[in-house]
Every structure is written in C-alpha cells, then in structure tokens.
Amino acid sequence: MNSDTVLLIGLGKMGLGIGHRLSKSFKVHGFDPSSDVRAEAKTKGIVPFDSLKQLASSQDGRRVFWLMVPSGAAVDSVLNDPSLNLKAGDIVIEGGNSNFHDSIRRAEALSSRGVHFLDTGTSGGVWGEANGFCLMVG
C-alpha cells in the first residue's frame, strides 16, 4: 500500500493549494490537462504527470486518488475514464462539492467494485493553501 502518496487529479487553484499543503506530509503526484498548470505544480512540490494513465500507473497496490475537478459531469468523466483503472481497495476522495445525490450514486457504483469513496466538500478558497482548508466529509 502506498499510503504515503496521494494521486491528485485537477490542479486548478483549489487543487494546487491542496496539493501544496499535502506535499508537506505526503508525496503528491498530480495530473491536470494544462501543461502550464502542471509546470506550476512542480514548483509547489507536486510531481506532475502528462496523463491520467501515467498518474494511475505511478503507484502499485492500493491507491488514493483525490479529485479536485468541477462537480457534475467532470467527476463522472474522470471516474469512468478507463485509463484510471480503478480497482478494489483504491480510495477516491472527491472534493468538488458535488450534489449529495450524485455522491451517493457514485459511492454505490464504486462500492460494487470494491473501491472506497469519500465525498469531501472543500471550502477555504485560495486562502486555504496558507490557512488550511475546511473539509466536509459526507
């Protein structure tokens, strides 16, 4: 198990801030479709990857994925991407403030595959990087 590494998907302002704070205690590997954002992530202590497939393949055994993508269809798109290769024992933390009905649906679908799901609403804005984020685990 690689519990000392977090695989962060979505390195926008909130994702980048969370990744930077996490990098003080964990190894953080990250992916974002923007090459400019990936370059900035590297300056924040995050090891960037050019694709979801490369990110997912960077760890063996149980993996911890932290999604910081916009709520709604973007979350489903990531979770259903075959290159993510979610498998039994993996943990998905979804920090995009999704509607709780969507989170229940996702948790049930992933649970049937042995994947653990945490709906973790995130607050704190860009100030969270310096002052800490409020995480509301549902």
Side-chain angles (χ1 to χ4, degrees):
M1 179 175 152
N2 297 302
S3 61
D4 64 336
T5 303
V6 175
L7 306 176
L8 183 59
I9 301 168
L11 301 172
K13 290 181 182 177
M14 292 289 285
L16 192 61
I18 286 173
H20 184 230
R21 283 191 68 86
L22 285 171
S23 72
K24 298 179 185 317
S25 301
F26 299 91
K27 295 175 193 166
V28 180
H29 293 181
F31 169 73
D32 193 276
S34 167
S35 60
D36 290 340
V37 171
R38 290 193 307 270
E40 184 178 356
K42 194 171 187 177
T43 70
K44 300 274 189 172
I46 299 167
V47 178
F49 288 83
D50 294 337
S51 70
L52 277 177
K53 184 175 184 173
Q54 289 175 341
L55 177 72
S57 299
S58 72
Q59 295 296 296
D60 295 322
R62 175 185 279 181
R63 300 165 300 169
V64 178
F65 292 95
W66 192 315
L67 279 61
M68 288 304 297
V69 299
S71 63
V75 175
D76 289 322
S77 177
V78 170
L79 291 176
N80 293 321
D81 191 312
S83 63
L84 202 59
N85 191 27
L86 288 171
K87 50 191 167 200
D90 285 346
I91 299 168
V92 174
I93 302 166
E94 195 273 301
N97 295 322
S98 289
N99 181 291
F100 74 96
H101 293 291
D102 291 334
S103 296
I104 291 169
R105 172 181 51 79
R106 292 174 183 131
E108 289 172 351
L110 292 171
S111 177
S112 70
R113 297 169 42 197
V115 176
H116 307 283
F117 180 84
L118 293 168
D119 171 20
T120 307
T122 307
S123 183
V126 294
W127 301 278
E129 182 176 354
N131 302 313
F133 293 91
C134 178
L135 302 174
M136 298 149 285
V137 181

